[in-house]
């Protein structure tokens, strides 16, 4: 499992454009009530740099890059959403773009392990959020907001469920996607509550800091996705081979039947015993 220091050393240089564009955004910090093409470009640059980051870690139509492709497409639709949300008239369109991004992130994270306990907590918060925000919405937003909130929190559930801390079945990059998913919900909660519930001081700064950090965490999860896929394929091969290797008790039972059977000669017993020995010499390391 890679340590944070190793991850930082290997991916740090590729993240320089992201941190530079984030710095540019906050130095200029164009207020959200002053929409323009320039403001749109400045806002989209950090996520565009994360798209480049994902591409630099390899991309193909092969199964080993299925996870990276979904994250990449999620980032692309996020850029569309960022651009559309600059203008208030395109709020629903921007919401739709992010809705597609959440579906792509969910498909990347998958549904194993299930973790019903995390789901219970997440969907309880979802119900509470919709209950508080729905009265402040109208028109298409009153339909789109609950649907988007449900998908957003499903993404959070799947991101958190991937990190099995108590079973030590986790990696640093899975932890990044977990934190990223949670921060995405924090960012969108800031948008929702400031738009439909009450004014939040410094909401734009809070929303954008958490949003860029969320997309960074999700993007970092592609770093070892190919290696994780190849490891899972290898483990499956090992399990398939081990299914055909009998246990010691099965071996003894099989040899006793051979010895006591009148239909087998002594040479047949020796040959069968040799076969059992050869079957037990299969090593996982020999499986590629």
């Amino acid at each position: 499992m890679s340590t944070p220091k190793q991850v930082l050393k290997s991916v740090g240089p590729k993240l320089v454009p992201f941190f530079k564009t984030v710095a540019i955004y906050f130095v200029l910090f164009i207020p959200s009530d002053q929409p323009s093409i320039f403001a749109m470009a400045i806002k989209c640059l950090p996520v565009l740099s994360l798209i480049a980051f994902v591409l630099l870690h390899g991309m193909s139509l092969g199964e080993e890059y299925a996870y990276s492709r979904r994250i990449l497409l999620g980032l692309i639709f996020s850029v569309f959403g960022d651009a559309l949300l600059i203008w208030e008239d395109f709020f629903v369109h921007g919401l739709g773009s992010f809705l597609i991004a959440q579906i792509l992130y969910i498909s990347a994270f998958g549904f194993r392990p299930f973790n019903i306990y995390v789901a219970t907590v997440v969907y309880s918060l979802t119900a509470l959020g919709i209950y508080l925000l729905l009265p402040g919405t109208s028109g298409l937003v009153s339909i789109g907001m609950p649907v988007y909130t449900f998908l957003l929190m499903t993404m959070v559930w799947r991101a958190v469920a991937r990190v099995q801390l108590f079973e030590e079945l986790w990696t640093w990059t899975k932890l990044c996607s977990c934190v990223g998913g949670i921060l995405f919900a924090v960012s969108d909660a800031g948008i929702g509550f400031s738009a439909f519930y009450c004014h939040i001081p410094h909401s734009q700064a809070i929303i954008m800091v958490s949003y860029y950090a969320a997309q960074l965490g999700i993007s970092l999860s592609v770093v070892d996705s190919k290696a994780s896929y190849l490891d899972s394929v290898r483990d499956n091969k090992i399990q398939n081979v081990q299914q055909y290797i009998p246990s010691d008790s099965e071996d003894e039972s099989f040899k006793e039947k051979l010895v006591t059977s009148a239909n087998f000669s002594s040479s047949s017993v020796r040959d069968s015993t040799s076969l059992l020995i050869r079957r037990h010499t299969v090593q996982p390391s020999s499986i590629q």
Side-chain angles (χ1 to χ4, degrees):
M1 181 175 63
S2 300
T3 65
K5 185 177 180 180
Q6 290 171 330
V7 172
L8 183 62
K9 185 176 180 180
S10 62
V11 306
K14 299 174 185 176
L15 288 174
V16 170
F18 168 76
F19 289 113
K20 284 185 175 181
T21 52
V22 169
I24 291 171
Y25 175 85
F26 284 104
V27 167
L28 297 176
F29 203 69
I30 302 172
S32 57
D33 59 358
Q34 298 178 18
S36 66
I37 297 295
F38 181 69
M40 180 194 72
I42 295 300
K43 183 182 180 183
C44 293
L45 281 176
V47 180
L48 286 171
S49 67
L50 289 176
I51 290 174
F53 171 80
V54 171
L55 289 172
L56 286 172
H57 278 87
M59 189 62 59
S60 75
L61 296 178
E63 214 31 57
E64 68 273 20
Y65 285 109
Y67 180 90
S68 296
R69 284 199 304 272
R70 289 163 186 163
I71 296 297
L72 176 66
L73 289 172
L75 290 170
I76 291 173
F77 276 97
S78 294
V79 170
F80 291 149
D82 286 336
L84 291 167
L85 288 179
I86 286 287
W87 292 277
E88 191 173 326
D89 292 342
F90 293 103
F91 182 85
V92 174
H93 303 80
L95 193 68
S97 292
F98 275 112
L99 186 147
I100 296 172
Q102 301 305 340
I103 292 173
L104 290 162
Y105 288 153
I106 293 168
S107 67
F109 297 151
F111 284 89
R112 293 183 182 179
F114 193 76
N115 202 327
I116 190 65
Y117 303 107
V118 174
T120 301
V121 173
V122 167
Y123 286 124
S124 297
L125 293 173
T126 303
L128 177 61
I130 292 174
Y131 172 77
L132 292 174
L133 297 180
L134 195 57
T137 63
S138 61
L140 287 176
V141 177
S142 62
I143 300 172
M145 186 277 291
V147 173
Y148 176 76
T149 302
F150 174 78
L151 288 172
L152 168 68
M153 297 307 285
T154 299
M155 183 276 291
V156 174
W157 166 39
R158 299 318 310 148
V160 174
R162 296 176 76 221
V163 183
Q164 298 171 275
L165 289 174
F166 297 107
E167 300 178 25
E168 297 185 356
L169 299 175
W170 64 280
T171 63
W172 174 249
T173 48
K174 284 183 179 180
L175 190 60
C176 284
S177 63
C178 170
V179 174
I182 293 170
L183 288 175
F184 214 126
V186 171
S187 175
D188 283 356
I191 295 174
F193 277 91
S194 62
F196 308 122
Y197 192 75
C198 64
H199 173 71
I200 299 176
H202 312 293
S203 60
Q204 185 177 348
I206 295 170
I207 290 166
M208 297 311 298
V209 167
S210 54
Y211 171 70
Y212 287 140
Q215 295 285 32
L216 172 62
I218 292 172
S219 299
L220 280 171
S221 67
V222 309
V223 171
D224 65 352
S225 60
K226 179 181 177 182
S228 297
Y229 171 81
L230 295 176
D231 286 345
S232 66
V233 170
R234 183 196 62 194
D235 292 343
N236 288 336
K237 287 183 179 180
I238 292 173
Q239 290 175 1
N240 290 336
V241 169
Q242 288 177 339
Q243 289 176 358
Y244 297 99
I245 299 177
S247 64
D248 292 340
S249 60
E250 290 173 334
D251 285 352
E252 291 299 327
S253 175
F254 180 54
K255 286 188 283 186
E256 287 177 6
K257 289 180 180 179
L258 289 175
V259 172
T260 57
S261 175
N263 296 327
F264 282 86
S265 64
S266 58
S267 60
S268 297
V269 172
R270 287 195 301 272
D271 292 343
S272 299
T273 303
S274 299
L275 175 61
L276 286 171
I277 294 171
R278 287 198 300 272
R279 290 169 71 181
H280 272 294
T281 60
V282 176
Q283 299 295 327
S285 59
S286 65
I287 302 172
Q288 301 297 331

